[in-house]
Amino acid sequence: CSALNRSTVPTIYPPVAQGWFAAVRAAVPTTAQYWPMQVGGAVVSLLVTLALVVVLRRRRLDVRWAAIWAWSPFVTTEAVTNSHIDALGVLLIVLATAVATPALASAAGSASSTGGRGRAAAVGALVGLSAAVKFVPVIAAPPLARRRPVTVAVAAAVTFAAVYVPYVVTTGWTVIGYLPGYLVEQGYEEGSGFTLASWVLPGSLATLVSLAAVVAIAALSFWRADPDRPWLAQLVGTGAILLVVSPPYAWYALVLVPFVVLARRWEWLVVPLTMTAHLLVPAVFVSRTMTLVAAGVVLTGWLLRRYAARGDGRPALLSPEGRDDGDGGAGPRRDPQLSEGHTA
């Protein structure tokens, strides 16, 4: 009896993920079944909560928003009960975000940009480690490289290589694992896996358009990111890529939830809800319908915020200083949450 889903094929997981599996299992008897990974998932989930609280507190934002992750039934289900390794990658990318965004320098609301190359190298190392857990969390990384892209990219590549090259040397090309089979199984090779594009485009064209969209979204999330407040670009970029790729497994959306917290854009929670619906009812019609609904909800939220910002005379959305930094609460000099306790 094995807890492995496909015990006869090489594992699809990168080396840091396998290191985590080995560390958790080394601490328990061989007769232990699912509970060790569930305990490990609970610990990782708690660490993500603490990291979010630290970032919110030092940026003088309402720490109650951390409950969106900490009390989420979706997080509890996927990170703890189902013990998906994605939670470890999420922790690393959240830590990278924390390192990239120092505390506010003053009550005026401007963040310190100190730290230079050392800070950027640390960010890159954490991004590289997150990629060596699972590649999905890396979609939230481009905005973190906005200030020092070369340093972050080199540090990420070196870190990833440091853990992956020994794996390749000892294992050979079987390190690719079940990935090719997985892509075929999920319809990505023929294009049907890209739910939205395949609705209107034939197979290979749907694949090309979707991949081009992913590259464009990643580039825009980098280019439009505020390096002092990268979470809005992380949220929009990650959420948009998930909608384009439309993976059938809800736990991929774990990476989105921390940036809902930091950007305070609750409407993006419709994305994990959409992916969960498709998991429960694995039909193409359900996936396409729910993906369109999710896009509509997100767009409606953006339009309402834009209308509200114009209506009360605030500067345009995402202007350098007088910005809506998440929920329409941040003004040009201070965040009203400091005194008014906005939560929505």
Side-chain angles (χ1 to χ4, degrees):
C1 179
S2 173
L4 294 176
N5 197 22
R6 298 179 179 88
S7 57
T8 60
V9 297
T11 180
I12 200 170
Y13 292 107
V16 172
Q18 294 193 53
W20 172 253
F21 295 149
V24 171
R25 296 299 304 187
V28 298
T30 56
T31 54
Q33 296 182 345
Y34 297 107
W35 68 263
M37 294 307 302
Q38 291 173 330
V39 171
V43 171
V44 170
S45 182
L46 178 59
L47 291 175
V48 173
T49 301
L50 294 175
L52 290 171
V53 168
V54 167
V55 175
L56 290 167
R57 188 177 294 277
R58 71 185 187 181
R59 299 311 294 266
R60 303 176 188 142
L61 300 173
D62 191 340
V63 297
R64 288 175 292 182
W65 277 83
I68 287 181
W69 170 274
W71 295 351
S72 169
F74 171 72
V75 172
T76 301
T77 298
E78 301 300 353
V80 182
T81 304
N82 293 339
S83 312
H84 288 292
I85 192 65
D86 300 65
L88 181 60
V90 171
L91 173 61
L92 291 167
I93 208 70
V94 170
L95 290 176
T97 303
V99 172
T101 53
L104 292 179
S106 67
S110 60
S112 168
S113 60
T114 59
R117 294 186 187 278
R119 184 184 296 277
V123 171
L126 288 165
V127 169
L129 289 174
S130 72
V133 172
K134 203 168 185 178
F135 298 120
V136 176
V138 179
I139 62 178
L144 301 180
R146 185 67 180 90
R147 182 174 282 118
R148 292 183 177 271
V150 174
T151 303
V152 172
V154 169
V158 169
T159 303
F160 183 80
V163 295
Y164 223 102
V165 168
Y167 185 36
V168 174
V169 170
T170 57
T171 311
W173 290 110
T174 57
V175 297
I176 297 174
Y178 189 64
L179 183 59
Y182 172 82
L183 295 176
V184 172
E185 182 181 276
Q186 301 304 322
Y188 288 117
E189 185 181 54
E190 61 178 355
S192 62
F194 299 101
T195 304
L196 286 181
S198 64
W199 202 350
V200 294
L201 296 171
S204 59
L205 188 56
T207 299
L208 290 174
V209 169
S210 298
L211 292 178
V214 168
V215 172
I217 292 167
L220 283 171
S221 70
F222 166 80
W223 185 252
R224 300 290 295 172
D226 179 346
D228 288 328
R229 300 172 179 85
W231 28 80
L232 182 56
Q234 289 174 291
L235 174 65
V236 175
T238 301
I241 288 175
L242 288 173
L243 289 175
V244 169
V245 177
S246 50
Y249 300 129
W251 52 87
Y252 288 177
L254 281 170
V255 69
L256 187 70
V257 180
F259 304 111
V260 173
V261 173
L262 295 174
R264 293 164 293 152
R265 297 288 178 100
W266 57 265
E267 65 269 19
W268 283 92
L269 290 172
V270 72
V271 175
L273 180 62
T274 294
M275 294 171 67
T276 300
H278 181 238
L279 186 65
L280 296 174
V281 186
V284 173
F285 173 78
V286 171
S287 177
R288 287 173 175 167
T289 302
M290 290 299 296
T291 303
L292 287 175
V293 168
V297 170
V298 169
L299 179 60
T300 300
W302 176 75
L303 290 173
L304 289 175
R305 293 174 191 280
R306 191 173 183 84
Y307 176 79
R310 287 179 174 178
D312 63 10
R314 279 180 289 171
L317 196 65
L318 294 180
S319 61
E321 291 299 329
R323 64 166 37 77
D324 174 348
D325 192 29
D327 67 348
R333 291 180 305 224
R334 63 182 180 88
D335 190 332
Q337 293 192 26
L338 295 174
S339 58
E340 298 175 17
H342 289 311
T343 57

